[in-house]
DNA sequence: GGCAAGACTTGCAGCGCTGCAATATGATGT
DNA sequence: ACATCATATTGCAGCGCTGCAAGTCTTGCC
């Protein structure tokens, strides 16, 4: 087989008997093209099996067709599901998504947002983790940025806001309404740097305060991370206490899953002995034994809004628009880990 | 703030008092550069906060620094975990990973492999799903391709092979060894197009045949997909049968998870009444009630090998190397869904 | 002191495409 | 038939970088 080079725009143009620019116009659905011309070009396109060189297009043109999604980890159902939704939303617009996995390391997050790849993308969707907002706002200028996070943050960038404090408050109120008073909470990070953890704690605290129930310090369970083994660890510490709590707010479903498994092993019954609430509504949570009460975010809506905001920014004049803020709601999904259906 | 353009190589060169080519050499760790020169350049690099334009580099140079990972879906723990591993392996080499999610649709898979984005990448890692191998081998030529899949396939491309047939056989032999004889299997796809499903079925069949046990057709459970709800559906059909099986081979852990939940609900005990085996060893599987016996693949090794093979191919002379084949083993992890630890 | 063999640096061309603005062609009205 | 407008097509320059090959400067050694 001859080592033939890939066809270029000029090759297509030559074959179709038009100028390269016309071929480009056809590819971009330029409004004024005679049908006969379009037909000729399209035939040549097919005959040569032409595929545009995205590097060249990006270099010459205004935008690249890439956006970056910067998240801590991919093998967490919350983020992989978010990523799947973002990819779907982008596919509809012929955008390609670069997923940058930071492993929650600040230097990697910084590299994702400021490094070479950031030059390549038309926009960035960032689940803000450790970069200080102040630094972001100072250095970010070259493309659009959508933050996923708190209502409180960022009056300087578009963002899609979720309300962790309210969500945590509602979760806690739910178990309080069930009559539970010895409430423990799992998901405090020792570093205190992670906003999500802090805000969920704050919500729990608010609900307790409002109900006049005290929060025992030995019921504040630290975790190294937000994964299942961290939940299991926390459960072991919990089981060593003299008095077990009667309710447990876990800051995500993975922690809850780890706790659930260990408690089951120890013969603690859920929800009779301990009611458990999680966050995120991972699909697996409804298949747990017992199915897990949890806070559900509308990930589809979050992804959709992020992409829409990127679209709006990239529209002519979108640059000068004031930062937009969208609130995406949440919902407490009550399942058997807090409310038994057994007789 | 003035709308200053991003600094280019020439700007750095000017500031450092050298030629653009020298700056490029510094960036590429060219061997012969005087320390004093390097120092000047690096200072200018920092002062201007220079970041290379990847589009330009890709256009001018030999490679792009991108590879594509083409998988059916991202919100399946097997694939998100694989993706996470691939991203890690690539990060070490300053490669960026484009994840193409095909939703198991043939046209999207084809677009991912042959479409514009494929022109951009130095290599492709493909979990082959529906594109016929013959078509792939005929059309794929412009960059390196690593297939993840069966030993049987592809003598024309590099691939990292797993052995689904043996794995399924071992899983089945395991339950046979436990004395189970009424063995059901869940994960048959109606289309029959999906290789994985077929191969796992074949393994089950081989083990049954070898043991002289017959496979009842009403124990062959079809699924629409490999997700939890599909498992739950299958479980409902299973529960309507007169005689329940005493063992169940599910073609992935998600199906097993869905089945487990429904069986639990129906009061069927696992493993006493039915022993269950899954595939993939998702992290969640060890947290199930009961923890799930499953086939574990070494995803880290798969990702590692895929990336290594891409590296080897992109080395000078790598082009002409014969296709390499690496086998990645599997392991049956026995947990309580088949072997009870209860007294 | 002269010359080869490094060590170090550079100029040039061009990757393949698109923005821009100009031109060519056709349709319409008078 | 000719100006006018809308439709349709084009040429040119250049995006920012790297491959290549050729250049210049050092150094060591006879």
């Amino acid at each position: 087989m001859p080592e033939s080079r890939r066809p270029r725009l000029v090759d297509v143009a030559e074959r179709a008997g038009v100028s390269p620019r016309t071929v480009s116009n056809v590819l971009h659905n330029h409004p004024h093209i005679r049908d006969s011309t379009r037909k000729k070009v399209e035939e040549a396109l097919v005959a040569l099996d032409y595929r545009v060189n995205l590097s060249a297009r990006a270099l010459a043109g205004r935008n690249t067709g890439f956006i970056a999604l910067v998240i801590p980890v991919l093998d967490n159902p919350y983020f992989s599901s978010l990523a799947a939704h973002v990819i779907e939303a982008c596919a509809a617009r012929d955008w390609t998504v670069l997923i940058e996995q930071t492993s929650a390391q600040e230097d990697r997050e910084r590299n994702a947002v400021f490094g070479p790849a950031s030059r390549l993308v038309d926009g960035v969707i960032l689940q803000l983790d450790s970069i200080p907002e102040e630094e972001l706002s100072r250095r970010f200028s070259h493309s659009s940025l959508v933050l996923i996070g708190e209502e409180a943050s960022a009056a300087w960038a578009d963002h899609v806001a979720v309300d962790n404090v309210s969500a945590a408050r509602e979760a806690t109120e739910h178990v309080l309404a069930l009559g539970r008073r010895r409430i423990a909470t799992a998901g405090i990070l020792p570093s205190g740097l992670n906003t999500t953890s802090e805000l969920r704690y704050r919500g729990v605290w608010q609900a307790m305060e409002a109900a006049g129930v005290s929060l025992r310090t030995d019921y504040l369970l630290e975790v190294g991370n937000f994964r299942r083994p961290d939940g299991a660890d926390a459960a072991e510490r919990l089981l060593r206490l003299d008095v077990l709590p009667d309710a447990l707010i876990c800051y995500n479903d993975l922690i809850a899953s780890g706790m659930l498994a260990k408690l089951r092993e120890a013969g603690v019954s859920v929800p009779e002995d301990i009611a458990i609430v999680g966050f995120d509504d991972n699909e697996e949570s409804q298949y747990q034994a017992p199915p897990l009460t949890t806070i559900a975010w509308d990930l589809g809506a979050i992804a959709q809004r992020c992409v829409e905001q990127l679209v709006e920014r990239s529209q002519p004049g979108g640059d000068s628009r004031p930062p937009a803020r969208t609130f995406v709601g949440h919902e407490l999904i009550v399942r058997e880990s807090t409310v038994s259906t057994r007789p």
Side-chain angles (χ1 to χ4, degrees), chain A:
Chain A
M1 204 189 290
E3 181 57 46
S4 58
R5 299 179 38 63
R6 302 227 111 227
R8 296 155 303 161
L9 214 48
V10 288
D11 301 318
V12 177
E14 194 174 351
R15 178 165 181 130
V18 297
S19 80
R21 200 62 191 73
T22 298
V23 178
S24 174
N25 285 340
V26 170
L27 290 174
H28 287 274
N29 291 313
H30 182 91
H32 305 305
I33 297 170
R34 194 171 300 150
D35 278 351
S36 61
T37 309
R38 184 191 304 277
K39 192 133 173 290
K40 276 190 303 184
V41 171
E42 279 170 353
E43 278 170 10
L45 247 19
V46 171
L48 296 178
D49 190 24
Y50 173 78
R51 246 106 9 96
V52 65
N53 180 323
L54 293 177
S55 299
R57 173 177 285 178
L59 182 57
R62 171 145 296 131
N63 44 221
T64 63
F66 287 95
I67 69 152
L69 172 66
V70 184
I71 54 178
V73 287
L74 200 46
D75 59 352
N76 168 324
Y78 177 83
F79 290 116
S80 62
S81 183
L82 177 65
H85 279 110
V86 170
I87 291 176
E88 282 315 293
C90 285
R93 299 181 161 80
D94 276 323
W95 279 352
T96 302
V97 180
L98 301 181
I99 297 176
E100 306 264 359
Q101 198 179 213
T102 64
S103 310
Q105 288 164 28
E106 192 165 347
D107 57 329
R108 293 185 58 181
E109 187 172 338
R110 194 166 275 120
N111 183 59
V113 178
F114 300 121
S118 74
R119 287 277 296 111
L120 179 67
V121 298
D122 297 333
V124 175
I125 299 175
L126 172 64
Q127 167 86 34
L128 197 52
D129 201 62
S130 40
I131 298 182
E133 258 188 60
E134 189 274 328
E135 176 183 353
L136 254 191
S137 66
R138 187 159 36 79
R139 293 183 55 187
F140 212 92
S141 54
H142 54 287
S143 60
S144 13
L145 173 69
V146 178
L147 253 31
I148 304 178
E150 280 314 304
E151 178 199 345
S153 52
W156 54 274
D158 289 339
H159 75 286
V160 175
V162 296
D163 190 346
N164 278 308
V165 177
S166 299
R169 197 174 343 102
E170 287 163 34
T172 312
E173 284 163 356
H174 168 63
V175 294
L176 284 166
L178 295 170
R180 312 282 172 147
R181 288 298 176 271
R182 301 193 309 281
I183 298 175
T185 182
I188 317 272
L189 289 174
S191 69
L193 274 175
N194 185 289
T195 333
T196 304
S197 171
E198 271 177 29
L199 294 165
R200 293 184 184 171
Y201 170 69
R202 193 180 305 167
V204 171
W205 190 88
Q206 286 181 3
M208 301 285 280
E209 176 91 342
V213 180
S214 67
L215 191 49
R216 292 175 45 165
T217 51
D218 55 354
Y219 283 175
L220 300 180
L221 298 166
E222 283 199 354
V223 294
N225 215 319
F226 270 41
R227 311 182 54 114
R228 293 183 191 86
D230 302 294
D233 283 356
E236 286 185 347
R237 276 176 278 134
L238 190 69
L239 288 165
R240 283 200 292 268
L241 297 179
D242 297 334
V243 183
L244 287 187
D246 58 11
L248 182 53
I249 313 290
C250 301
Y251 293 175
N252 78 356
D253 282 2
L254 296 181
I255 295 176
S257 167
M259 303 229 40
L260 211 41
K262 271 282 184 273
L263 293 179
R264 192 189 299 129
E265 215 176 288
V268 176
S269 35
V270 176
E272 289 76 5
D273 300 333
I274 304 187
I276 300 191
V277 186
F279 276 78
D280 292 352
D281 193 28
N282 299 342
E283 192 194 62
E284 74 177 85
S285 296
Q286 59 185 292
Y287 293 88
Q288 296 277 12
L292 188 63
T293 294
T294 188
I295 297 283
W297 315 99
D298 187 346
L299 282 183
I302 292 177
Q304 196 63 42
R305 269 310 291 161
C306 286
V307 174
E308 276 167 19
Q309 300 214 344
L310 250 24
V311 172
E312 285 167 27
R313 274 277 166 234
S314 62
Q315 231 114 74
D319 276 353
S320 51
R321 231 191 29 185
R325 177 180 300 185
T326 308
F327 294 90
V328 172
H330 55 265
E331 188 188 353
L332 178 75
I333 312 270
V334 177
R335 300 205 186 95
E336 294 167 39
S337 73
T338 55
V339 178
S340 179
T341 56
R342 279 171 266 180

